[in-house]
Amino acid sequence: ESATAFGCLVSDMWLGEFDYVSPEAFHSIFGKRYPAFSRRTQHDAQEFLICVLDDLHEAFKEVRAQLCQERQSPVAAASTRSSSGTSIVTQLFEGQLSYRIRCLTCRALSDRPESFTVLSLPIPSARVCSLQDCLECFFQPDTLTRNNQIHCYWCGGNQDATVKASITKAPQIIIFHLKRFAWQDKHRRKLSTTVCYPFSDLDLSPYISTSCCNNTEYSLCAVVNHAGDLDYGHYTAFCKHSVTKHWYSFDDAQVTKIPDSAVQADTAYLLFY
C-alpha cells in the first residue's frame, strides 16, 4: 500500500546511500489509490499534500485499530475503531480553528469548530507583503451578508452576522499555503507577490485563543516553491536538516546545500513551521 511505499521512500532518503532518491514507486502505488495523480500532468502541490496526509492518516489509524483489537475484547475493539480519529499524522499536523459568529440582529454568539492540516492564507498585496500580513488578513473579522447570511437559531431566520476565526489548538507542525492562484477581473492568474517570511520566532499568539495552551512560537523547517504559471510550472523544495541545521535545495535529481539567505524566495508556495 502507499503508506508502506512512503515508509520505504523515507528510509531510503535517510540511509544516505544515494545522491538522490526517486519517489517513482510511491507515486505509482499512490496513483492507483488516487487516479487523478497517476497521470503525468500538472497538479497542485497543496492538493497532493492533503491527499498524502489523509492517506497516511487512514493507514496509521487502521494499524492502531488492529493493535487495539488484538488486546481488547471484540466489542471494545469495534468501539475503538469507530471512535478513534487519531494517528501520528493528526498528532503532528492537525490543528483546530474556532469561528466565533455573532448575529447582528439579536447579538447571539455561537462557536463553530473546524479542524485543519493546512491553512490557506490570502495574499493581500500585489507586490510585497509579509507572512504576518497574510495572517492578519486571514484572521481579520468579516461580515456575512446577502448569500452568506447565517441561519440564526435564536432569531429563527437568515441574518447578517460577523465572524472571527482563532486557533484553539495549535499543531506541532503548521503548514501555510500561500494562495498564489487567484481570480482577478474574471481571469484566474498566479500572484507573483514577494512574501517575506521569518526563519524563526514566528509568534502566532495574536491569533490563538486564550484557552489554547500550546506553544505559539515556530521556526521554519521547509519550503515548497512553484516556478511558472497556471499552465506550466516546476516545483522545488528547501528543507532544513534536523541535526546539522543546514538548508538543502531539492530540484529533481539535484540535491545541493544552500546558504540560509537563499531560503527566502519569491516562489514560495507552501511553508512548513
Side-chain angles (χ1 to χ4, degrees):
E1 60 178 20
S2 55
T4 302
F6 182 81
C8 292
L9 172 62
V10 173
S11 178
D12 287 343
M13 291 173 65
W14 278 100
L15 281 175
E17 296 179 355
F18 313 99
D19 292 334
Y20 64 90
V21 177
S22 171
E24 190 68 30
F26 170 70
H27 176 262
S28 176
I29 294 173
F30 186 80
K32 293 177 182 177
R33 185 170 175 84
Y34 295 90
F37 293 107
S38 64
R39 298 183 296 275
R40 294 185 177 275
T41 54
Q42 299 289 309
H43 294 290
D44 185 83
Q46 183 237 174
E47 294 174 0
F48 177 73
L49 172 64
I50 290 174
C51 286
V52 170
L53 292 178
D54 286 347
D55 192 57
L56 294 177
H57 166 65
E58 290 300 321
F60 295 139
K61 187 177 68 172
E62 290 170 5
V63 169
R64 184 174 180 177
Q66 289 171 5
L67 291 175
C68 291
Q69 187 176 23
E70 292 175 0
R71 299 173 183 172
Q72 300 174 352
S73 68
V75 174
S79 175
T80 301
R81 179 182 292 106
S82 62
S83 62
S84 175
T86 61
S87 70
I88 185 63
V89 174
T90 57
Q91 291 167 17
L92 290 176
F93 298 101
E94 186 177 85
Q96 190 171 69
L97 293 171
S98 178
Y99 291 93
R100 171 149 289 195
I101 302 170
R102 181 184 292 276
C103 174
L104 291 179
T105 300
C106 69
R107 313 301 293 179
L109 275 174
S110 61
D111 290 297
R112 188 189 65 167
E114 182 179 290
S115 297
F116 70 89
T117 52
V118 178
L119 276 185
S120 292
L121 304 180
I123 299 176
S125 172
R127 297 183 63 187
V128 179
C129 68
S130 68
L131 180 60
Q132 289 288 5
D133 293 331
C134 298
L135 287 165
E136 286 286 346
C137 188
F138 180 89
F139 285 102
Q140 70 179 359
D142 196 12
T143 302
L144 305 177
T145 61
R146 298 181 182 179
N147 294 335
N148 294 319
Q149 285 183 325
I150 64 160
H151 181 81
C152 180
Y153 171 82
W154 302 102
C155 293
N158 293 339
Q159 305 291 351
D160 290 352
T162 59
V163 59
K164 189 179 188 308
S166 63
I167 299 174
T168 50
K169 177 192 172 186
Q172 291 188 44
I173 301 173
I174 190 164
I175 306 170
F176 298 118
H177 161 231
L178 302 178
K179 298 172 69 173
R180 292 198 176 276
F181 301 102
W183 289 95
Q184 287 191 346
D185 300 326
K186 298 183 180 180
H187 297 285
R188 193 165 183 259
R189 68 183 191 89
K190 181 182 176 183
L191 302 176
S192 57
T193 304
T194 297
V195 179
C196 301
Y197 40 90
F199 288 14
S200 61
D201 303 324
L202 173 66
D203 185 11
L204 295 183
S205 58
Y207 319 109
I208 293 183
S209 169
T210 54
S211 62
C212 178
C213 57
N214 300 55
N215 180 34
T216 62
E217 289 195 356
Y218 290 81
S219 295
L220 186 69
C221 59
V223 180
V224 172
N225 303 292
H226 180 272
D229 53 29
L230 285 171
D231 300 318
Y232 176 80
H234 180 62
Y235 284 110
T236 61
F238 300 146
C239 300
K240 188 178 184 179
H241 197 287
S242 59
V243 178
T244 67
K245 306 303 180 184
H246 294 148
W247 283 92
Y248 290 84
S249 170
F250 292 79
D251 186 353
D252 290 345
Q254 301 295 319
V255 181
T256 54
K257 184 179 175 181
I258 59 174
D260 292 1
S261 58
V263 178
Q264 178 71 59
D266 294 346
T267 52
Y269 185 54
L270 296 172
L271 303 171
F272 294 73
Y273 279 89

